Amino acid sequence: MNTNKTARIIDGKKIASAVLEELRGEIARMRARNLVPGLAVVLVGNDPASEVYVRSKRKTCADLGVNSFAYDLPANCTEKRLLKLIESLNVDARVHGILVQMPLPKHISEKKILEALSPEKDVDGFHPVNVGRLLNGEECFVSCTPAGCQTLLSRSGIKTAGKHVVIVGRSNIVGKPLAALLMQKSEDANATVTVCHSKTRNMSKYTRDADILVAAMGVPEFIKPAMVREGAVVIDVGVNRIPDPTRKSGNRLVGDVAFAGVFKKVRAITPVPGGVGPMTIAMLMKNTVKAARQVPAKK
Ligand code: GUN
């Protein structure tokens, strides 16, 4: 039954734009001091989704006045060659942040590549040092999608303190770092966090108890209305392309939430596209500016 007529769409595009506009001013001030934030974006192979993401990241850099260094390597690039590139970027003073787009081709160890990054340039927050610091509640680079979810909530006036946040999905990129982030002792966290995953028994028992439900398991429209509590807040991290013969392209993007039905029950929800996605890029820019800011001034 639709008892909730006031569900609000959380506009990720608008919130991301506001973050980027704040950064634009700071970047201009940095450039006036001859400090141009620089981001190296490394793409290996030609995964179509990765190409789209990388293009968008580079475009945002150009728009904000961040130097973007593009490295497009072939799918058969060796692990050794990629490691060499990372070593050179680690010591390149023009480069403040390094992003290696995931996933990498199967013959390259993601773990080895991430561990080769300088933690001070790891604007994706994937290096084990940053992951560990996040868990410990220390200053670090927080990975961009979890940081984007937190910022979406705080800038929408949705408090997390004392709330039950249920995250469905336990990836290293989203589920695990988001759980670590929202359980921290800080004003925009302080949540009680539950992480569900593919082996969770009776998942609805948890999801239906969520004040804030985060769907990040990568299964199209997995979260159905019956799994959501009336009046909950829903954050949809999923980006799935599914066949749709009514579209010219033959497909459409959907999240991990069955939006149309869930929308009718909730207090607020993020759309796909236009929810979490734009926030991820905004947080990447924020981390890049932070990395540049941390460069010690020349004597
Ligand atoms: N692949 C999917 N999400 C991400 C991300 O946030 N950063 C990188 N580097 N790769 C990804």
Side-chain angles (χ1 to χ4, degrees):
M1 187 178 50
N2 179 5
T3 55
N4 184 345
K5 300 272 194 298
T6 57
R8 179 156 59 98
I9 306 257
I10 300 174
D11 188 343
K13 250 173 132 169
K14 194 165 150 195
I15 298 171
S17 290
V19 172
L20 292 176
E21 282 318 305
E22 289 160 21
L23 289 175
R24 192 186 295 283
E26 180 163 7
I27 292 164
R29 286 190 293 280
M30 286 174 136
R31 291 180 70 106
R33 290 187 280 120
N34 280 329
L35 174 59
V36 184
L39 175 66
V41 180
V42 182
L43 175 65
V44 185
N46 28 36
D47 175 72
S50 291
E51 282 178 344
V52 171
Y53 293 137
V54 162
R55 207 176 307 134
S56 174
K57 289 168 185 176
R58 289 174 179 157
K59 188 170 167 284
T60 309
C61 283
D63 180 51
L64 284 186
V66 169
N67 265 344
S68 131
F69 302 91
Y71 297 90
D72 291 342
L73 304 175
N76 64 359
C77 161
T78 62
E79 187 177 273
K80 201 166 155 195
R81 182 172 165 206
L82 184 54
L83 285 170
K84 269 204 125 115
L85 171 63
I86 289 171
E87 275 166 31
S88 70
L89 295 173
N90 279 344
V91 294
D92 187 333
R94 300 166 307 161
V95 172
H96 305 102
I98 305 170
L99 177 144
V100 182
Q101 187 63 31
M102 301 292 166
L104 289 170
K106 292 279 175 285
H107 66 279
I108 299 179
S109 157
E110 291 186 351
K111 177 171 149 36
K112 260 197 204 167
I113 299 304
L114 294 178
E115 287 179 0
L117 293 169
S118 159
E120 283 66 45
K121 295 192 177 187
D122 169 37
V123 286
D124 251 330
F126 291 166
H127 188 286
V129 163
N130 281 313
V131 177
R133 285 179 182 156
L134 170 65
L135 200 57
N136 283 349
E138 296 164 16
E139 173 57 30
C140 64
F141 287 113
V142 178
S143 54
C144 303
T145 302
C149 292
Q150 186 183 41
T151 304
L152 267 185
L153 290 168
S154 61
R155 293 205 177 201
S156 303
I158 296 162
K159 299 263 187 276
T160 52
K163 301 277 179 65
H164 187 195
V165 175
V166 176
I167 301 167
V168 187
R170 55 176 160 180
S171 68
N172 287 347
I173 291 187
V174 185
K176 284 187 213 166
L178 182 60
L181 187 60
L182 293 181
M183 71 166 79
Q184 291 305 321
K185 210 180 245 188
S186 74
E187 205 183 317
D188 52 0
N190 279 330
T192 303
V193 181
T194 299
V195 180
C196 297
H197 48 76
S198 53
K199 298 289 185 284
T200 299
R201 276 181 283 160
N202 193 2
M203 190 174 306
S204 291
K205 182 174 86 178
Y206 303 99
T207 58
R208 285 182 63 83
D209 189 61
D211 299 305
I212 299 170
L213 178 62
V214 182
M217 77 298 275
V219 180
E221 302 180 317
F222 178 86
I223 301 292
K224 305 284 189 275
M227 298 172 75
V228 180
R229 189 163 88 185
E230 195 92 34
V233 171
V234 175
I235 305 293
D236 190 351
V237 181
V239 184
N240 312 286
R241 210 168 278 282
I242 61 163
D244 182 350
T246 70
R247 299 282 176 102
K248 215 167 124 192
S249 63
N251 55 56
R252 72 188 155 99
L253 277 188
V254 296
D256 289 352
V257 176
F259 184 91
V262 171
F263 171 76
K264 294 176 187 161
K265 279 186 92 169
V266 297
R267 174 178 144 212
I269 185 167
T270 62
V272 176
V276 175
M279 292 304 294
T280 298
I281 298 189
M283 295 299 113
L284 174 67
M285 294 300 125
K286 197 166 176 182
N287 280 349
T288 302
V289 170
K290 174 173 157 171
R293 206 189 292 132
Q294 284 168 355
V295 172
K298 282 205 191 86
K299 297 246 165 68

